[in-house]
Amino acid sequence: APDGSLYLLSKLGIIIKRNHQGEWELDGVETNLNLYAIAQNQNGDLIVGGQDGRLFLKPANERW
């Protein structure tokens, strides 16, 4: 990510984040689908691509 964070995607909507300070965080999208791609822009907005072409958006400082 632009801020130096590392995102790891998993099955069932689970997202593991290692922030630029080296701390681990657990997040998730309310889905039972597998997640395949993630992108973050300079504003901090996240978009995650899931199974069957589904997209999930998390604007900066908001909830999924």
Side-chain angles (χ1 to χ4, degrees):
D3 67 357
S5 297
L6 172 68
Y7 290 90
L8 304 170
L9 304 175
S10 183
K11 296 181 179 183
L12 304 176
I14 298 170
I15 301 170
I16 301 170
K17 175 184 175 183
R18 184 167 191 253
N19 66 27
H20 64 280
Q21 298 169 341
E23 298 170 349
W24 293 94
E25 301 172 23
L26 185 62
D27 198 358
V29 178
E30 291 186 30
T31 183
N32 60 356
L33 300 174
N34 295 338
L35 302 177
Y36 296 111
I38 190 167
Q40 183 180 36
N41 64 17
Q42 294 290 344
N43 297 329
D45 302 330
L46 286 176
I47 190 163
V48 177
Q51 189 174 340
D52 299 328
R54 300 216 180 162
L55 296 175
F56 303 93
L57 173 66
K58 180 181 180 185
N61 302 317
E62 292 187 28
R63 301 179 74 90
W64 290 102

